[in-house]
Amino acid sequence: MLKPLLARLKQGHRTITYPDGEPPAMPDRFRGRPVIDASKCVEGCRACIEACPTEALTAERLPQVDLGKCLFCADCSEACPQHAITHLQDYRLSTRTREDLFVGAQDELRLARALDAKLKRLFGRSLRLRQVSAGGCNACEADVNVLSTIGWDIGRFGIQMVASPRHADGILVTGCVSENMRLALEKTYEAVPAPKLVIVVGACAISGGPYAGHSQQHNGVEGLLPIDLYIPGCPPHPLTILDGLLRLLGRIEVDSVRIQSK
Amino acid sequence: MTSSAFAKTWNGEALALIDVPRRPIDQFRVALIDAVKARCRVSSLFVRRPTESGKPELVAVLTDDSDGSVLIGIGALEGERYASLTPSCPQVHLFEREIAEQTGVAPEGHPWLKPVRFPDKADQRNARIGEMDFFKVDGDEVHEVAVGPVHAGVIEPGHFRFQCHGEEVFHLEISLGYQHRGVEDALVDGPHNRTIHVMETLAGDTTVGHAWAYSQNVEALSRVHVSAHAQVVRAIALELERLANHTGDLGALAGDVGFLPTQSFCGRIRGDLLNMTALLCGNRFGRSLVVPGGVRFMLEPERATELKKRLETAERDLQIAVNLLWESATVQGRFEQTGMVSRTACVDLGLVGPAARACGVEVDIRSTHPTGVYQFTNIPLATAHHGDVNSRAYVRWLEIQRSIVFIRERLNSLPASDSLSSRRELAADSIAASLIEGWRGEICHVAITGSNGKFSSYKVTDPSFHNWTGLSMALRNQPISDFPLCNKSFNLSYCGFDL
């Protein structure tokens, strides 16, 4: 009886203070939002585009990254002979629309706006989510799970993962939506009472990720269900997920971040 | 007999296909059954086609734990059927179901060739997921409980069908395939841009394990040497992966018996361990770290010092958090004699990893078939002997402690950093088998190249493939309310199984 209490004393209080305090520091090698310094690009060079495993990089005239496809791997930056691509430490990536995830060299990233007044009144202080893994690799699932541990404690914001879709205000989907999970995903969505939200977490759920194009899956949730929040990453850092959820609920209010090179 | 039907090789070595013995299926069948009876385990078994002869071939990779060798043999099939190995060698039961589903070759005499993953193909022989017969028990007061695919928690999907008598489970049948996303199909004709990323996400919590198993195959087939520094970084990352997952499992086990202190502490410490992997490579799961030729990120002395500091803190926190489990009578009362798997069942079914070591079976690739830095340093193999939840928990705790010692020693004698070895073409018409002891157990990758030096087939076996049946056995005669606890004590991968 005394030992657990003593252990509790030794382990201390560990919940992060963010968003009131500073967010936890990202590791120095953390690959957040990729930025391209187009002034360094050499005419006709396609090294990054060819290296990208998921065709997240495209170039009409200037290169553009689709954060919804990006695996945040180091393949492009390693392939670039000009060192024009770098990954910022910036963990803020979530958007409300698919289009906002396409970012060019000089664009602003339009971060997720809050829900409209009616939905915010409903969900702003109490959001129950049913998580559905539909072809996920268990990394997105793990870092969603982390948010319920004492370190992150999303219960502070009234957010809770629930077992039954009937108790939920929305679903949080991970995975490329395997054909074998499609029906279960649709049924789970139907079982949630309206109004309801759909949040997609990770490159797979947004675009199919490394499985895009396989006949056994559906390239993510797009086209199957209406999506309210996109959280990119492979997997997104827990802070990226938390940031997205808090923006959706109107707890963080900066609208966009300027894209700039280091 | 054995020597003639199998080529003897070592973990992570490539062979020319022509040097692998090809025996008529009847001879091959007897040789395989004899080898398994004598001392071998079946690490991989699959049908390869198309082949040079035009006829399908049965490829077997056996591991001999007594001398650390890997045996590779080919059974030449005459048609689309052969006499099933399962009645004489139960550990291949699932491999043969997989063969029937993937290739249409029928192992005749197999007790029940049920679908494994329900691959979505136009092919009519494949059943639709969720539409199949289950093993049924009839009688008064016998009832059936169906759970999943969507479970009550942030967890992957699978379907569980319990045959119960009151609270008691007579039989549990596990039907998976919901996460099937075409991994093995995508690997054919590789390696290409995406291959390493498919490996890394094949089972996201085993990123380092699968990326290493794959890289080791590519290195064997292209005869690329990996620097000592890279080998050490890989081993540190693999052990950090083990630490994070074992810690998470101990916390979850505590949670499943309602013991909140350890659950809360371990949940947080697991995060600290994942952050240590992120210190190595920027990603908490080790993405982009292990690549063919070495590692992408070097471990400089200052980083090693920081890692050592964090490891020390984690070790101290873990000691406090985990020892509460063994000192709490209520926890022990729930863990002990729950979900027992006998040693015989474990050996017969070919279980691997902590689940097998908890039954006293000494299997651990790091000890029996070491590669890389494990060849030079021995991690003592951890076993327990009751095959229950408590044993599976305790083996994890022993492994946590030994991995910490191992990482600390490696950090204290870090070889100078070295660049990534440059890539080379893969040898044509060759085969390589790579084994890595992931945190769940033995990971086996088998690569076969065609005449163009590209993969003509690539077979992945996640430890979960061997172990799901172990969970079924653990549930026999248990109260159904103990399912979550038993399930967590195995903590198997759905996506690693479904591929």
Side-chain angles (χ1 to χ4, degrees), chain B residues 8-25:
Chain B
K8 184 168 175 168
T9 181
W10 309 98
N11 185 8
E13 303 235 338
L15 277 178
L17 264 180
I18 198 122
D19 294 333
V20 178
R22 253 182 200 76
R23 295 280 172 265
I25 185 66

Side-chain angles (χ1 to χ4, degrees), chain A residues 3 11 14 28-29 31 50 53 75 78 130 135-138 143 178 180 210-212 214 216 234, chain B residues 117 151 153 177-179 181 185 193-194 197 201 204-205 268 280-281 284 287 296 298 303 317 327:
Chain A
K3 275 190 175 158
Q11 303 266 352
R14 301 295 191 119
D28 61 333
R29 284 171 171 168
R31 290 177 296 282
E50 276 155 25
D75 292 2
E78 196 180 78
R130 167 66 243 194
C137 78
N138 206 24
D143 269 352
S178 52
N180 288 347
Y211 302 96
H214 291 195
Q216 296 88 347
C234 186
Chain B
R117 304 190 178 95
H151 301 278
Y178 293 91
Q179 303 281 67
R181 56 218 188 282
D185 287 356
N193 269 359
R194 267 200 207 174
H197 302 287
T201 53
D205 49 27
R268 196 261 307 163
L280 284 180
C281 68
R284 286 154 56 89
R287 301 281 159 87
R296 258 212 183 116
M298 301 302 145
R303 205 174 288 273
D317 286 352
E327 289 161 0

Side-chain angles (χ1 to χ4, degrees), chain B residues 418-435:
Chain B
D418 206 341
S419 56
L420 205 61
S421 306
S422 51
R423 300 207 180 172
R424 288 164 41 180
E425 296 290 301
L426 305 191
D429 299 311
S430 298
I431 182 168
S434 170
L435 299 152

Side-chain angles (χ1 to χ4, degrees), chain B residues 49 55-56 76-82 105:
Chain B
R49 72 157 106 210
K55 288 178 180 168
L77 296 172
E78 273 311 311
E80 296 296 303
R81 57 195 69 241
Y82 69 94
V105 169

Side-chain angles (χ1 to χ4, degrees), chain A residues 3-4 6-8 10-11 14 27-31 49-55 71-75 78 130-146 149-152 161-163 176 178-182 184-185 188 209-217 234-235 237-238, chain B residues 117-120 128-129 149-157 177-183 185-186 193-194 196-198 200-205 259 261 264-265 267-270 272 274-275 278-285 287-288 296-300 303 316-318 320-321 324 327 420 440 495:
Chain A
K3 275 190 175 158
L6 202 64
R8 169 71 183 82
K10 280 192 183 148
Q11 303 266 352
R14 301 295 191 119
D28 61 333
R29 284 171 171 168
F30 174 73
R31 290 177 296 282
I49 294 169
E50 276 155 25
C52 180
T54 55
E55 290 149 25
L71 301 183
F72 299 80
C73 65
D75 292 2
E78 196 180 78
R130 167 66 243 194
Q131 198 274 336
V132 182
S133 170
C137 78
N138 206 24
C140 285
E141 290 80 354
D143 269 352
V144 167
N145 246 331
V146 156
T149 63
I150 50 169
W152 299 84
M161 299 293 165
V162 292
C176 54
S178 52
E179 167 56 18
N180 288 347
M181 264 307 282
R182 184 183 49 80
L185 172 66
T188 308
Y211 302 96
H214 291 195
S215 63
Q216 296 88 347
Q217 55 82 56
C234 186
H237 191 279
Chain B
R117 304 190 178 95
F118 307 86
D120 182 39
R128 300 283 305 158
I129 199 151
V150 180
H151 301 278
V154 182
I155 182 175
E156 292 179 74
Y178 293 91
Q179 303 281 67
H180 180 60
R181 56 218 188 282
V183 166
D185 287 356
N193 269 359
R194 267 200 207 174
I196 185 72
H197 302 287
V198 169
E200 288 180 334
T201 53
L202 196 154
D205 49 27
F259 190 66
S264 303
F265 302 150
R268 196 261 307 163
I269 302 166
R270 176 177 164 276
D272 294 346
L274 291 174
N275 288 339
L279 181 69
L280 284 180
C281 68
N283 180 288
R284 286 154 56 89
F285 296 86
R287 301 281 159 87
S288 293
R296 258 212 183 116
F297 298 94
M298 301 302 145
L299 180 49
E300 318 89 318
R303 205 174 288 273
R316 204 177 48 235
D317 286 352
L318 273 168
I320 300 170
L324 291 177
E327 289 161 0
L420 205 61
R440 281 195 187 93
C495 53

